[in-house]
Amino acid sequence: MAEQSMGPVEGAGARAERLRVFLVDDHAMFRAGVRAELGAHVEVVGEASAVAEAVNGIAATLPDVVLLDVHMPDGGGRAVLEAMRRTHPQVKFLALSVSDAAEDVIGLIRAGARGYVTKTISPDELTAAIRRVADGDAVFSPRLAGFVLDAFAARPDAPVADPELDQLTNREREVLRLLARGYAYKEIAKELFISIKTVETHVSNVLRKLQMSNRYELSRWAADRRLV
């Protein structure tokens, strides 16, 4: 059966541009199948079968979305996520796995994946899921979404407040989120309908309040708090 996402899923052809996708899976035949099924809808810019190869390839190509398997011999999807979050927090990940175990789903989401679907998903649904993740949405099947909601609702160590984040205004948080996604100042200004000068002012305020010196530190800080 095809996977269903948490919310309404746009059709595979809803956007004309082809998203750039990187495949990480240790089964060459599966990667070939994904390329064949998605080739008309996305541009596959690279692929890898191991953690180190994936980290290097993703850093070199900077895709819109990485399709990431959970289990690989040398550390798996979580190792890729943790390595990339430190250096390229703007890259978005969608887990694509044969496993629907709660611990796999929760582990990947806590490591930074934007969604998790299983390999029973249809090509059209997978294309739609990739587009939604690229747009910043979170995508899960209903059953997997339940795992995530239950895990985070029951998490005893979840902070009820973040004093550092609470210092920022809503607009400063919006600017920070886009900055952490890799947007240039001009793109942030266009997205939020403000001037580039206003964007610069907001970034300066955020840097001062958080006592940081550059946008790369801000990106890591935002990624650690799942603001991206």
Side-chain angles (χ1 to χ4, degrees):
M1 292 181 61
E3 295 282 348
Q4 297 180 1
S5 63
M6 289 178 69
V9 178
E10 60 184 331
R15 283 171 26 174
E17 67 271 22
R18 279 155 53 94
L19 292 172
R20 302 172 71 254
V21 174
F22 194 100
L23 305 178
V24 182
D25 193 288
D26 61 337
H27 293 95
M29 289 185 64
F30 177 75
R31 297 198 307 272
V34 172
R35 284 199 312 273
E37 294 286 0
L38 299 186
H41 307 293
V42 305
E43 178 186 359
V44 178
V45 297
E47 59 183 73
S49 61
V51 172
E53 182 186 11
V55 169
N56 292 333
I58 295 166
T61 57
L62 295 179
D64 297 306
V65 176
V66 177
L67 285 181
L68 182 67
D69 194 13
V70 178
H71 297 296
M72 293 185 289
D74 56 347
R78 185 161 187 166
V80 176
L81 274 164
E82 290 173 346
M84 296 308 301
R85 189 173 67 181
R86 292 192 294 268
T87 58
H88 296 81
Q90 76 277 17
V91 177
K92 298 181 178 69
F93 290 81
L94 173 61
L96 176 62
S97 176
V98 69
S99 171
D100 62 357
E103 59 270 23
D104 288 334
V105 179
I106 295 162
L108 266 289
I109 298 306
R110 282 185 170 155
R114 295 291 304 174
Y116 194 117
V117 294
T118 63
K119 289 181 178 179
T120 57
I121 193 170
S122 73
D124 285 346
E125 286 288 334
L126 181 56
T127 300
I130 291 169
R131 293 196 180 283
R132 291 193 60 183
V133 167
D135 287 338
D137 291 340
V139 180
F140 307 93
S141 70
R143 178 168 178 262
L144 303 187
F147 291 158
V148 177
L149 292 172
D150 289 346
F152 282 90
R155 186 178 172 184
D157 59 339
V160 295
D162 187 330
E164 290 183 304
L165 186 60
D166 289 345
Q167 298 179 75
L168 307 182
T169 65
N170 288 337
R171 180 63 86 185
E172 287 168 352
R173 295 187 195 192
E174 291 174 341
V175 170
L176 173 60
R177 185 174 293 109
L178 293 175
L179 193 72
R181 290 179 181 173
Y183 283 55
Y185 284 8
K186 182 178 180 180
E187 294 170 323
I188 296 173
K190 182 178 179 181
E191 183 77 14
L192 299 180
F193 301 99
I194 57 179
S195 69
I196 296 176
K197 182 65 176 177
T198 301
V199 173
E200 293 173 348
T201 299
H202 285 313
V203 172
S204 295
N205 289 340
V206 173
L207 287 169
R208 174 179 52 80
K209 289 179 179 180
L210 299 180
Q211 299 181 12
M212 296 180 187
S213 58
N214 57 62
R215 66 178 295 167
Y216 303 105
E217 291 182 359
L218 286 178
S219 294
R220 288 195 297 270
W221 186 90
D224 287 342
R225 284 161 173 76
R226 305 289 192 271
L227 299 179
V228 182

